[in-house]
Amino acid sequence: MMHFSHKFLIVSLTLVMPIPVWAQVETPFKELRLDSLEKRSETHRKKDKTKLVLLNQLAYAYSNVNFDKGLDAGNQAISLAQKLNDSLYLAEAYHYTGQILTFKGEYDHALELYEKALAINQKLNNKYGIAQNTLHLGDLLKRKGDGKKAMELSQSALSLFEEIKNPEGTAKALNFVSTFYNSEPARAMELCQKALMLNEQIGNKNGIAVSYNGMGIVHFRSAENEKAIEYF
């Protein structure tokens, strides 16, 4: 059995994209990556595709570390992608900026950006992007209290990740979909176990931790506290 901190974690998309708990677990790596990205972005002054990629990476990396810096990078990426007429990276910039706004609780603005990203990816037939956008829209709607629509979107994202045979995305979606089955612990556990198997196959340590945490929450909600502690 793999053991983690007994700190109780909430399974949501904030645990499957860049999240505070992973920043705590892997702080040295996070800081090194940010330092490296910042230096590369600062020294690369040309407004080209390389700069655009760096800005999107900074927005992603800052998403739960520094909202202001993340939004600054994300908005710069949006402007540059529009200037370069790069639809694919514009969709990515909208998505990462929407993610930061979600973490900030600015749901209406986040929804607007996610929908823009989704529209672009649908036009490009970028199925991976569509799946990502749809899953995060599900998370956003769940936060806003629209559980029914959130579950529909999450299931749709899961099906699409499975269709394109993307194990990391499939595991991420399975972990999230499991959070809709609070009244069906056996089903929730099944989904977490499937996610765990996929994460172990691809060596995704963060995903493994999320899956174990999800199983712990299932036991906790079933008043099986001793079993729950084994997973946290």
Side-chain angles (χ1 to χ4, degrees):
M1 171 64 65
M2 196 173 199
H3 293 278
F4 296 94
S5 167
H6 291 178
K7 182 178 179 181
F8 189 83
L9 308 175
I10 299 174
V11 175
S12 72
L13 283 187
T14 58
L15 286 179
V16 291
M17 288 301 286
I19 51 167
V21 66
W22 302 141
Q24 293 167 13
V25 172
E26 298 183 333
T27 298
F29 173 80
K30 188 81 168 183
E31 289 177 348
L32 284 172
R33 184 168 182 268
L34 274 172
D35 286 346
S36 175
L37 284 172
E38 286 174 342
K39 289 177 182 177
R40 289 177 63 193
S41 183
E42 288 172 4
T43 57
H44 190 93
R45 300 186 182 279
K46 188 176 181 181
K47 302 296 185 180
D48 57 6
K49 188 168 183 177
T50 298
K51 182 70 170 181
L52 178 55
V53 170
L54 288 168
L55 287 170
N56 270 337
Q57 290 177 340
L58 276 172
Y60 177 92
Y62 271 126
S63 61
N64 58 35
V65 177
N66 187 313
F67 292 153
D68 290 338
K69 287 187 176 182
L71 288 174
D72 180 59
N75 287 325
Q76 285 188 60
I78 289 170
S79 296
L80 183 55
Q82 291 171 333
K83 181 179 178 180
L84 296 175
N85 196 29
D86 193 317
S87 297
L88 183 63
Y89 282 100
L90 177 58
E92 187 174 272
Y94 280 140
H95 181 85
Y96 290 151
T97 307
Q99 181 177 297
I100 297 167
L101 291 168
T102 299
F103 292 162
K104 285 190 70 179
E106 298 182 19
Y107 297 149
D108 290 341
H109 192 186
L111 179 62
E112 178 186 347
L113 295 188
Y114 280 149
E115 288 179 338
K116 285 183 177 180
L118 179 60
I120 293 171
N121 282 319
Q122 287 174 331
K123 186 175 181 179
L124 297 173
N125 195 30
N126 176 14
K127 292 186 178 181
Y128 176 80
I130 293 169
Q132 285 277 37
N133 300 151
T134 303
L135 189 60
H136 282 257
L137 277 167
D139 173 56
L140 178 58
L141 291 179
K142 186 177 184 184
R143 291 167 185 259
K144 292 185 70 174
D146 190 350
K148 182 178 179 180
K149 183 62 176 177
M151 186 171 185
E152 290 176 1
L153 289 172
S154 302
Q155 294 278 13
S156 176
L158 173 58
S159 296
L160 190 49
F161 277 126
E162 290 175 333
E163 177 187 330
I164 63 176
K165 302 186 187 309
N166 185 287
E168 184 175 1
T170 299
K172 179 167 58 177
L174 284 166
N175 278 324
F176 186 58
V177 171
S178 73
T179 66
F180 291 93
Y181 287 92
N182 292 337
S183 61
E184 299 179 47
R187 177 58 175 157
M189 183 65 74
E190 178 187 357
L191 293 168
C192 289
Q193 288 172 338
K194 286 182 177 180
L196 176 62
M197 181 178 66
L198 287 172
N199 282 317
E200 288 179 335
Q201 288 174 355
I202 62 176
N204 182 0
K205 293 181 179 179
N206 287 353
I208 290 170
V210 174
S211 298
Y212 274 118
N213 181 72
M215 288 187 280
I217 290 174
V218 173
H219 285 300
F220 181 83
R221 293 187 183 279
S222 300
E224 298 171 342
N225 294 343
E226 289 187 6
K227 285 187 178 180
I229 288 174
E230 294 179 13
Y231 289 90
F232 293 145

Short mmCIF file of all heavy atoms in Angstrom, two decimals, residues 84-146:
data_model
loop_
_atom_site.label_atom_id
_atom_site.label_comp_id
_atom_site.label_asym_id
_atom_site.label_seq_id
_atom_site.Cartn_x
_atom_site.Cartn_y
_atom_site.Cartn_z
N LEU A 84 -0.20 36.50 -33.90
CA LEU A 84 0.43 35.51 -34.77
C LEU A 84 -0.59 34.68 -35.54
O LEU A 84 -0.22 33.85 -36.37
CB LEU A 84 1.32 34.57 -33.94
CG LEU A 84 2.51 35.20 -33.23
CD1 LEU A 84 3.22 34.17 -32.36
CD2 LEU A 84 3.48 35.82 -34.22
N ASN A 85 -1.87 34.89 -35.25
CA ASN A 85 -2.94 34.12 -35.88
C ASN A 85 -2.75 32.62 -35.68
O ASN A 85 -2.91 31.82 -36.59
CB ASN A 85 -3.03 34.44 -37.38
CG ASN A 85 -4.33 33.98 -38.00
OD1 ASN A 85 -5.37 33.91 -37.32
ND2 ASN A 85 -4.30 33.64 -39.27
N ASP A 86 -2.39 32.26 -34.44
CA ASP A 86 -2.13 30.86 -34.09
C ASP A 86 -3.31 30.34 -33.26
O ASP A 86 -3.37 30.53 -32.05
CB ASP A 86 -0.83 30.75 -33.30
CG ASP A 86 -0.35 29.31 -33.16
OD1 ASP A 86 -1.19 28.43 -32.90
OD2 ASP A 86 0.86 29.07 -33.31
N SER A 87 -4.23 29.70 -33.92
CA SER A 87 -5.47 29.27 -33.27
C SER A 87 -5.24 28.23 -32.18
O SER A 87 -5.86 28.27 -31.12
CB SER A 87 -6.45 28.72 -34.31
OG SER A 87 -6.82 29.72 -35.22
N LEU A 88 -4.34 27.28 -32.46
CA LEU A 88 -4.11 26.19 -31.50
C LEU A 88 -3.58 26.74 -30.17
O LEU A 88 -4.10 26.39 -29.11
CB LEU A 88 -3.12 25.19 -32.08
CG LEU A 88 -2.84 23.95 -31.21
CD1 LEU A 88 -4.11 23.12 -31.03
CD2 LEU A 88 -1.75 23.09 -31.85
N TYR A 89 -2.60 27.61 -30.25
CA TYR A 89 -2.04 28.15 -29.02
C TYR A 89 -2.93 29.23 -28.40
O TYR A 89 -2.84 29.50 -27.19
CB TYR A 89 -0.62 28.68 -29.26
CG TYR A 89 0.38 27.56 -29.32
CD1 TYR A 89 0.84 27.08 -30.56
CD2 TYR A 89 0.86 26.96 -28.17
CE1 TYR A 89 1.74 26.04 -30.62
CE2 TYR A 89 1.77 25.91 -28.23
CZ TYR A 89 2.21 25.46 -29.46
OH TYR A 89 3.10 24.42 -29.51
N LEU A 90 -3.79 29.83 -29.19
CA LEU A 90 -4.77 30.75 -28.64
C LEU A 90 -5.76 29.98 -27.77
O LEU A 90 -6.11 30.41 -26.66
CB LEU A 90 -5.52 31.47 -29.76
CG LEU A 90 -6.65 32.42 -29.32
CD1 LEU A 90 -6.12 33.51 -28.39
CD2 LEU A 90 -7.33 33.05 -30.55
N ALA A 91 -6.20 28.83 -28.26
CA ALA A 91 -7.11 27.99 -27.47
C ALA A 91 -6.45 27.58 -26.16
O ALA A 91 -7.07 27.58 -25.10
CB ALA A 91 -7.51 26.75 -28.27
N GLU A 92 -5.16 27.23 -26.24
CA GLU A 92 -4.43 26.84 -25.03
C GLU A 92 -4.33 28.00 -24.05
O GLU A 92 -4.50 27.84 -22.84
CB GLU A 92 -3.03 26.36 -25.42
CG GLU A 92 -2.24 25.77 -24.27
CD GLU A 92 -0.91 25.19 -24.73
OE1 GLU A 92 -0.89 24.01 -25.10
OE2 GLU A 92 0.10 25.93 -24.72
N ALA A 93 -4.07 29.20 -24.57
CA ALA A 93 -3.98 30.39 -23.72
C ALA A 93 -5.32 30.69 -23.05
O ALA A 93 -5.37 31.03 -21.86
CB ALA A 93 -3.50 31.58 -24.55
N TYR A 94 -6.40 30.58 -23.82
CA TYR A 94 -7.73 30.78 -23.23
C TYR A 94 -7.97 29.76 -22.11
O TYR A 94 -8.50 30.10 -21.05
CB TYR A 94 -8.81 30.61 -24.30
CG TYR A 94 -9.04 31.80 -25.20
CD1 TYR A 94 -9.28 31.62 -26.56
CD2 TYR A 94 -9.05 33.10 -24.69
CE1 TYR A 94 -9.50 32.71 -27.40
CE2 TYR A 94 -9.28 34.19 -25.53
CZ TYR A 94 -9.50 33.99 -26.88
OH TYR A 94 -9.73 35.06 -27.70
N HIS A 95 -7.58 28.51 -22.37
CA HIS A 95 -7.83 27.45 -21.40
C HIS A 95 -7.06 27.69 -20.10
O HIS A 95 -7.63 27.62 -19.01
CB HIS A 95 -7.43 26.10 -22.00
CG HIS A 95 -7.68 24.94 -21.08
ND1 HIS A 95 -8.90 24.31 -20.99
CD2 HIS A 95 -6.86 24.31 -20.19
CE1 HIS A 95 -8.83 23.35 -20.10
NE2 HIS A 95 -7.60 23.33 -19.60
N TYR A 96 -5.76 27.97 -20.20
CA TYR A 96 -4.96 28.16 -19.00
C TYR A 96 -5.39 29.41 -18.23
O TYR A 96 -5.42 29.41 -16.99
CB TYR A 96 -3.48 28.26 -19.34
CG TYR A 96 -2.87 26.96 -19.81
CD1 TYR A 96 -1.80 26.95 -20.69
CD2 TYR A 96 -3.36 25.73 -19.36
CE1 TYR A 96 -1.23 25.75 -21.12
CE2 TYR A 96 -2.81 24.54 -19.78
CZ TYR A 96 -1.75 24.56 -20.67
OH TYR A 96 -1.20 23.37 -21.08
N THR A 97 -5.76 30.46 -18.95
CA THR A 97 -6.23 31.67 -18.28
C THR A 97 -7.57 31.40 -17.60
O THR A 97 -7.81 31.86 -16.47
CB THR A 97 -6.35 32.83 -19.28
OG1 THR A 97 -5.10 32.99 -19.98
CG2 THR A 97 -6.66 34.14 -18.56
N GLY A 98 -8.42 30.63 -18.27
CA GLY A 98 -9.69 30.25 -17.66
C GLY A 98 -9.49 29.41 -16.41
O GLY A 98 -10.23 29.53 -15.43
N GLN A 99 -8.47 28.57 -16.44
CA GLN A 99 -8.17 27.73 -15.28
C GLN A 99 -7.79 28.59 -14.07
O GLN A 99 -8.24 28.34 -12.95
CB GLN A 99 -7.02 26.79 -15.64
CG GLN A 99 -6.61 25.84 -14.54
CD GLN A 99 -5.52 24.91 -15.04
OE1 GLN A 99 -5.74 24.12 -15.96
NE2 GLN A 99 -4.34 25.00 -14.48
N ILE A 100 -6.95 29.60 -14.30
CA ILE A 100 -6.55 30.49 -13.21
C ILE A 100 -7.76 31.23 -12.66
O ILE A 100 -7.94 31.35 -11.44
CB ILE A 100 -5.50 31.49 -13.70
CG1 ILE A 100 -4.23 30.76 -14.14
CG2 ILE A 100 -5.14 32.49 -12.59
CD1 ILE A 100 -3.26 31.62 -14.94
N LEU A 101 -8.61 31.71 -13.54
CA LEU A 101 -9.82 32.42 -13.11
C LEU A 101 -10.74 31.50 -12.32
O LEU A 101 -11.40 31.94 -11.37
CB LEU A 101 -10.54 33.00 -14.33
CG LEU A 101 -9.81 34.14 -15.04
CD1 LEU A 101 -10.47 34.44 -16.39
CD2 LEU A 101 -9.80 35.39 -14.17
N THR A 102 -10.78 30.24 -12.70
CA THR A 102 -11.57 29.27 -11.93
C THR A 102 -11.03 29.15 -10.52
O THR A 102 -11.78 29.18 -9.53
CB THR A 102 -11.54 27.88 -12.61
OG1 THR A 102 -12.09 27.98 -13.92
CG2 THR A 102 -12.34 26.87 -11.80
N PHE A 103 -9.71 29.02 -10.39
CA PHE A 103 -9.10 28.91 -9.07
C PHE A 103 -9.36 30.18 -8.24
O PHE A 103 -9.46 30.12 -7.02
CB PHE A 103 -7.59 28.69 -9.19
CG PHE A 103 -7.20 27.36 -9.76
CD1 PHE A 103 -5.93 27.15 -10.28
CD2 PHE A 103 -8.10 26.30 -9.78
CE1 PHE A 103 -5.56 25.92 -10.80
CE2 PHE A 103 -7.74 25.07 -10.30
CZ PHE A 103 -6.47 24.88 -10.81
N LYS A 104 -9.47 31.32 -8.91
CA LYS A 104 -9.74 32.59 -8.22
C LYS A 104 -11.21 32.75 -7.86
O LYS A 104 -11.57 33.63 -7.10
CB LYS A 104 -9.34 33.78 -9.10
CG LYS A 104 -7.85 34.03 -9.22
CD LYS A 104 -7.59 35.37 -9.90
CE LYS A 104 -7.97 36.54 -9.00
NZ LYS A 104 -7.71 37.84 -9.64
N GLY A 105 -12.05 31.90 -8.43
CA GLY A 105 -13.48 31.99 -8.16
C GLY A 105 -14.21 32.93 -9.10
O GLY A 105 -15.38 33.25 -8.87
N GLU A 106 -13.54 33.37 -10.17
CA GLU A 106 -14.18 34.25 -11.15
C GLU A 106 -14.80 33.38 -12.25
O GLU A 106 -14.32 33.30 -13.38
CB GLU A 106 -13.15 35.23 -11.72
CG GLU A 106 -12.57 36.16 -10.66
CD GLU A 106 -11.57 37.16 -11.22
OE1 GLU A 106 -11.58 37.41 -12.45
OE2 GLU A 106 -10.78 37.70 -10.42
N TYR A 107 -15.89 32.72 -11.88
CA TYR A 107 -16.45 31.67 -12.71
C TYR A 107 -17.02 32.15 -14.04
O TYR A 107 -16.88 31.47 -15.06
CB TYR A 107 -17.51 30.90 -11.93
CG TYR A 107 -16.99 30.19 -10.71
CD1 TYR A 107 -17.79 30.00 -9.59
CD2 TYR A 107 -15.68 29.69 -10.67
CE1 TYR A 107 -17.30 29.33 -8.46
CE2 TYR A 107 -15.19 29.03 -9.57
CZ TYR A 107 -16.01 28.86 -8.46
OH TYR A 107 -15.53 28.20 -7.36
N ASP A 108 -17.67 33.30 -14.04
CA ASP A 108 -18.29 33.76 -15.28
C ASP A 108 -17.24 34.07 -16.35
O ASP A 108 -17.40 33.71 -17.52
CB ASP A 108 -19.15 35.00 -15.01
CG ASP A 108 -20.40 34.67 -14.22
OD1 ASP A 108 -20.79 33.48 -14.18
OD2 ASP A 108 -20.99 35.59 -13.62
N HIS A 109 -16.17 34.74 -15.93
CA HIS A 109 -15.10 35.05 -16.87
C HIS A 109 -14.39 33.77 -17.32
O HIS A 109 -14.06 33.61 -18.50
CB HIS A 109 -14.10 36.02 -16.23
CG HIS A 109 -13.14 36.62 -17.20
ND1 HIS A 109 -12.09 37.43 -16.80
CD2 HIS A 109 -13.03 36.52 -18.57
CE1 HIS A 109 -11.41 37.81 -17.86
NE2 HIS A 109 -11.95 37.27 -18.94
N ALA A 110 -14.18 32.86 -16.38
CA ALA A 110 -13.56 31.58 -16.72
C ALA A 110 -14.41 30.82 -17.73
O ALA A 110 -13.88 30.24 -18.70
CB ALA A 110 -13.36 30.74 -15.46
N LEU A 111 -15.71 30.82 -17.52
CA LEU A 111 -16.62 30.13 -18.43
C LEU A 111 -16.51 30.70 -19.85
O LEU A 111 -16.45 29.95 -20.83
CB LEU A 111 -18.06 30.27 -17.93
CG LEU A 111 -19.15 29.63 -18.79
CD1 LEU A 111 -18.96 28.13 -18.87
CD2 LEU A 111 -20.53 29.96 -18.21
N GLU A 112 -16.42 32.01 -19.94
CA GLU A 112 -16.29 32.67 -21.24
C GLU A 112 -15.03 32.21 -21.97
O GLU A 112 -15.07 31.91 -23.17
CB GLU A 112 -16.24 34.19 -21.03
CG GLU A 112 -16.05 34.99 -22.29
CD GLU A 112 -15.86 36.47 -22.01
OE1 GLU A 112 -16.13 36.91 -20.87
OE2 GLU A 112 -15.44 37.20 -22.94
N LEU A 113 -13.92 32.11 -21.24
CA LEU A 113 -12.66 31.72 -21.87
C LEU A 113 -12.64 30.24 -22.23
O LEU A 113 -12.14 29.85 -23.29
CB LEU A 113 -11.48 32.06 -20.96
CG LEU A 113 -11.26 33.55 -20.70
CD1 LEU A 113 -9.94 33.76 -19.95
CD2 LEU A 113 -11.26 34.35 -21.99
N TYR A 114 -13.18 29.39 -21.35
CA TYR A 114 -13.26 27.96 -21.66
C TYR A 114 -14.10 27.74 -22.93
O TYR A 114 -13.76 26.91 -23.78
CB TYR A 114 -13.90 27.19 -20.52
CG TYR A 114 -12.98 26.87 -19.36
CD1 TYR A 114 -13.48 26.78 -18.06
CD2 TYR A 114 -11.63 26.61 -19.55
CE1 TYR A 114 -12.66 26.46 -16.99
CE2 TYR A 114 -10.79 26.30 -18.50
CZ TYR A 114 -11.31 26.23 -17.21
OH TYR A 114 -10.49 25.91 -16.16
N GLU A 115 -15.19 28.48 -23.05
CA GLU A 115 -16.06 28.31 -24.22
C GLU A 115 -15.36 28.78 -25.49
O GLU A 115 -15.53 28.20 -26.56
CB GLU A 115 -17.37 29.06 -24.00
CG GLU A 115 -18.26 28.37 -22.96
CD GLU A 115 -19.57 29.11 -22.71
OE1 GLU A 115 -19.62 30.33 -23.00
OE2 GLU A 115 -20.52 28.47 -22.22
N LYS A 116 -14.54 29.83 -25.38
CA LYS A 116 -13.78 30.29 -26.54
C LYS A 116 -12.75 29.22 -26.95
O LYS A 116 -12.58 28.94 -28.13
CB LYS A 116 -13.06 31.60 -26.21
CG LYS A 116 -13.96 32.82 -26.17
CD LYS A 116 -13.16 34.09 -25.91
CE LYS A 116 -14.04 35.33 -25.95
NZ LYS A 116 -13.27 36.58 -25.71
N ALA A 117 -12.09 28.65 -25.95
CA ALA A 117 -11.10 27.60 -26.23
C ALA A 117 -11.79 26.41 -26.88
O ALA A 117 -11.27 25.84 -27.86
CB ALA A 117 -10.42 27.17 -24.93
N LEU A 118 -12.94 26.02 -26.36
CA LEU A 118 -13.66 24.87 -26.90
C LEU A 118 -14.09 25.11 -28.34
O LEU A 118 -13.97 24.22 -29.19
CB LEU A 118 -14.88 24.57 -26.02
CG LEU A 118 -15.76 23.40 -26.46
CD1 LEU A 118 -14.96 22.10 -26.48
CD2 LEU A 118 -16.96 23.26 -25.52
N ALA A 119 -14.58 26.31 -28.63
CA ALA A 119 -15.03 26.62 -29.99
C ALA A 119 -13.87 26.51 -30.98
O ALA A 119 -14.04 25.99 -32.09
CB ALA A 119 -15.63 28.03 -30.02
N ILE A 120 -12.70 26.99 -30.58
CA ILE A 120 -11.53 26.90 -31.46
C ILE A 120 -11.14 25.44 -31.68
O ILE A 120 -10.89 25.01 -32.81
CB ILE A 120 -10.35 27.69 -30.87
CG1 ILE A 120 -10.65 29.18 -30.87
CG2 ILE A 120 -9.07 27.40 -31.66
CD1 ILE A 120 -9.63 30.01 -30.12
N ASN A 121 -11.06 24.68 -30.60
CA ASN A 121 -10.65 23.28 -30.72
C ASN A 121 -11.65 22.45 -31.53
O ASN A 121 -11.25 21.54 -32.25
CB ASN A 121 -10.44 22.67 -29.33
CG ASN A 121 -9.12 23.09 -28.72
OD1 ASN A 121 -8.10 23.15 -29.41
ND2 ASN A 121 -9.11 23.40 -27.43
N GLN A 122 -12.93 22.79 -31.41
CA GLN A 122 -13.93 22.10 -32.22
C GLN A 122 -13.72 22.42 -33.71
O GLN A 122 -13.84 21.54 -34.56
CB GLN A 122 -15.33 22.49 -31.77
CG GLN A 122 -15.72 21.88 -30.43
CD GLN A 122 -17.06 22.39 -29.92
OE1 GLN A 122 -17.47 23.53 -30.21
NE2 GLN A 122 -17.75 21.57 -29.14
N LYS A 123 -13.40 23.68 -34.00
CA LYS A 123 -13.16 24.08 -35.38
C LYS A 123 -11.93 23.38 -35.93
O LYS A 123 -11.88 23.00 -37.11
CB LYS A 123 -12.98 25.60 -35.45
CG LYS A 123 -12.85 26.14 -36.86
CD LYS A 123 -12.79 27.66 -36.86
CE LYS A 123 -12.68 28.21 -38.28
NZ LYS A 123 -12.63 29.70 -38.29
N LEU A 124 -10.92 23.20 -35.08
CA LEU A 124 -9.68 22.53 -35.49
C LEU A 124 -9.79 21.00 -35.44
O LEU A 124 -8.87 20.31 -35.87
CB LEU A 124 -8.52 22.97 -34.58
CG LEU A 124 -8.14 24.44 -34.61
CD1 LEU A 124 -7.09 24.72 -33.53
CD2 LEU A 124 -7.61 24.84 -35.98
N ASN A 125 -10.90 20.51 -34.89
CA ASN A 125 -11.08 19.08 -34.65
C ASN A 125 -9.95 18.52 -33.77
O ASN A 125 -9.47 17.41 -33.98
CB ASN A 125 -11.16 18.29 -35.96
CG ASN A 125 -11.71 16.88 -35.75
OD1 ASN A 125 -12.51 16.63 -34.84
ND2 ASN A 125 -11.26 15.93 -36.54
N ASN A 126 -9.53 19.32 -32.82
CA ASN A 126 -8.50 18.93 -31.87
C ASN A 126 -9.17 18.19 -30.71
O ASN A 126 -9.62 18.80 -29.73
CB ASN A 126 -7.76 20.18 -31.36
CG ASN A 126 -6.73 19.86 -30.28
OD1 ASN A 126 -6.37 18.70 -30.07
ND2 ASN A 126 -6.28 20.90 -29.58
N LYS A 127 -9.25 16.88 -30.83
CA LYS A 127 -10.03 16.10 -29.86
C LYS A 127 -9.43 16.15 -28.46
O LYS A 127 -10.17 16.14 -27.47
CB LYS A 127 -10.16 14.66 -30.35
CG LYS A 127 -11.03 14.53 -31.59
CD LYS A 127 -11.26 13.07 -31.96
CE LYS A 127 -12.19 12.98 -33.18
NZ LYS A 127 -12.46 11.56 -33.55
N TYR A 128 -8.11 16.18 -28.36
CA TYR A 128 -7.50 16.28 -27.04
C TYR A 128 -7.89 17.60 -26.39
O TYR A 128 -8.28 17.64 -25.21
CB TYR A 128 -5.98 16.18 -27.13
CG TYR A 128 -5.30 16.39 -25.80
CD1 TYR A 128 -5.23 15.35 -24.87
CD2 TYR A 128 -4.73 17.61 -25.47
CE1 TYR A 128 -4.62 15.54 -23.64
CE2 TYR A 128 -4.13 17.81 -24.24
CZ TYR A 128 -4.07 16.78 -23.33
OH TYR A 128 -3.48 16.97 -22.10
N GLY A 129 -7.80 18.70 -27.16
CA GLY A 129 -8.19 19.99 -26.62
C GLY A 129 -9.66 20.04 -26.24
O GLY A 129 -10.03 20.61 -25.21
N ILE A 130 -10.50 19.44 -27.07
CA ILE A 130 -11.93 19.40 -26.78
C ILE A 130 -12.19 18.67 -25.46
O ILE A 130 -12.98 19.10 -24.62
CB ILE A 130 -12.71 18.71 -27.92
CG1 ILE A 130 -12.65 19.56 -29.19
CG2 ILE A 130 -14.16 18.44 -27.52
CD1 ILE A 130 -13.15 18.84 -30.43
N ALA A 131 -11.51 17.54 -25.29
CA ALA A 131 -11.68 16.75 -24.06
C ALA A 131 -11.24 17.55 -22.84
O ALA A 131 -11.93 17.56 -21.81
CB ALA A 131 -10.90 15.45 -24.16
N GLN A 132 -10.09 18.22 -22.94
CA GLN A 132 -9.60 19.03 -21.82
C GLN A 132 -10.57 20.15 -21.49
O GLN A 132 -10.92 20.37 -20.31
CB GLN A 132 -8.22 19.62 -22.16
CG GLN A 132 -7.10 18.61 -22.12
CD GLN A 132 -6.59 18.41 -20.69
OE1 GLN A 132 -7.35 18.43 -19.73
NE2 GLN A 132 -5.30 18.21 -20.56
N ASN A 133 -10.99 20.89 -22.50
CA ASN A 133 -11.91 21.99 -22.27
C ASN A 133 -13.22 21.51 -21.66
O ASN A 133 -13.74 22.12 -20.72
CB ASN A 133 -12.23 22.70 -23.60
CG ASN A 133 -11.03 23.29 -24.30
OD1 ASN A 133 -11.02 23.39 -25.52
ND2 ASN A 133 -9.99 23.66 -23.56
N THR A 134 -13.73 20.40 -22.18
CA THR A 134 -15.01 19.87 -21.70
C THR A 134 -14.90 19.42 -20.25
O THR A 134 -15.81 19.68 -19.44
CB THR A 134 -15.45 18.69 -22.59
OG1 THR A 134 -15.54 19.13 -23.94
CG2 THR A 134 -16.81 18.16 -22.15
N LEU A 135 -13.81 18.77 -19.91
CA LEU A 135 -13.63 18.30 -18.53
C LEU A 135 -13.55 19.48 -17.57
O LEU A 135 -14.15 19.47 -16.49
CB LEU A 135 -12.37 17.45 -18.43
CG LEU A 135 -12.14 16.71 -17.11
CD1 LEU A 135 -13.29 15.75 -16.82
CD2 LEU A 135 -10.82 15.95 -17.14
N HIS A 136 -12.84 20.53 -17.96
CA HIS A 136 -12.70 21.69 -17.09
C HIS A 136 -14.00 22.49 -17.03
O HIS A 136 -14.29 23.10 -15.99
CB HIS A 136 -11.53 22.54 -17.54
CG HIS A 136 -10.22 21.98 -17.09
ND1 HIS A 136 -9.52 22.48 -16.03
CD2 HIS A 136 -9.51 20.92 -17.53
CE1 HIS A 136 -8.42 21.77 -15.85
NE2 HIS A 136 -8.40 20.81 -16.75
N LEU A 137 -14.75 22.48 -18.09
CA LEU A 137 -16.08 23.09 -18.03
C LEU A 137 -16.95 22.33 -17.04
O LEU A 137 -17.74 22.92 -16.29
CB LEU A 137 -16.73 23.08 -19.41
CG LEU A 137 -16.35 24.22 -20.35
CD1 LEU A 137 -16.81 23.93 -21.77
CD2 LEU A 137 -16.95 25.54 -19.86
N GLY A 138 -16.82 21.00 -17.02
CA GLY A 138 -17.55 20.20 -16.04
C GLY A 138 -17.18 20.57 -14.62
O GLY A 138 -18.04 20.71 -13.74
N ASP A 139 -15.89 20.75 -14.39
CA ASP A 139 -15.42 21.15 -13.06
C ASP A 139 -16.00 22.51 -12.68
O ASP A 139 -16.48 22.72 -11.56
CB ASP A 139 -13.90 21.21 -13.05
CG ASP A 139 -13.34 21.78 -11.76
OD1 ASP A 139 -13.66 21.24 -10.69
OD2 ASP A 139 -12.57 22.75 -11.83
N LEU A 140 -15.97 23.44 -13.63
CA LEU A 140 -16.48 24.78 -13.37
C LEU A 140 -17.96 24.76 -13.03
O LEU A 140 -18.41 25.40 -12.07
CB LEU A 140 -16.22 25.66 -14.60
CG LEU A 140 -16.74 27.10 -14.54
CD1 LEU A 140 -16.14 27.85 -13.36
CD2 LEU A 140 -16.43 27.82 -15.84
N LEU A 141 -18.74 24.01 -13.80
CA LEU A 141 -20.18 23.95 -13.55
C LEU A 141 -20.48 23.25 -12.23
O LEU A 141 -21.44 23.61 -11.54
CB LEU A 141 -20.88 23.25 -14.71
CG LEU A 141 -20.89 24.03 -16.03
CD1 LEU A 141 -21.60 23.24 -17.11
CD2 LEU A 141 -21.56 25.40 -15.85
N LYS A 142 -19.66 22.28 -11.86
CA LYS A 142 -19.86 21.63 -10.57
C LYS A 142 -19.63 22.62 -9.44
O LYS A 142 -20.38 22.66 -8.46
CB LYS A 142 -18.91 20.44 -10.42
CG LYS A 142 -19.18 19.63 -9.14
CD LYS A 142 -18.28 18.41 -9.04
CE LYS A 142 -18.66 17.60 -7.80
NZ LYS A 142 -17.77 16.45 -7.60
N ARG A 143 -18.61 23.46 -9.58
CA ARG A 143 -18.34 24.48 -8.58
C ARG A 143 -19.50 25.48 -8.48
O ARG A 143 -19.78 26.01 -7.41
CB ARG A 143 -17.05 25.23 -8.93
CG ARG A 143 -15.77 24.41 -8.80
CD ARG A 143 -14.62 25.16 -9.49
NE ARG A 143 -13.40 24.37 -9.51
CZ ARG A 143 -12.37 24.54 -8.68
NH1 ARG A 143 -12.43 25.46 -7.73
NH2 ARG A 143 -11.29 23.80 -8.78
N LYS A 144 -20.14 25.71 -9.64
CA LYS A 144 -21.26 26.65 -9.66
C LYS A 144 -22.57 26.03 -9.20
O LYS A 144 -23.57 26.71 -9.08
CB LYS A 144 -21.44 27.21 -11.08
CG LYS A 144 -20.29 28.11 -11.53
CD LYS A 144 -20.58 28.73 -12.90
CE LYS A 144 -21.68 29.76 -12.81
NZ LYS A 144 -21.88 30.48 -14.09
N GLY A 145 -22.55 24.71 -8.97
CA GLY A 145 -23.74 24.05 -8.44
C GLY A 145 -24.60 23.34 -9.46
O GLY A 145 -25.65 22.80 -9.11
N ASP A 146 -24.18 23.31 -10.72
CA ASP A 146 -24.95 22.62 -11.76
C ASP A 146 -24.38 21.21 -11.92
O ASP A 146 -23.71 20.89 -12.91
CB ASP A 146 -24.88 23.40 -13.07
CG ASP A 146 -25.85 22.87 -14.11
OD1 ASP A 146 -26.44 21.78 -13.90
OD2 ASP A 146 -26.02 23.53 -15.16
#
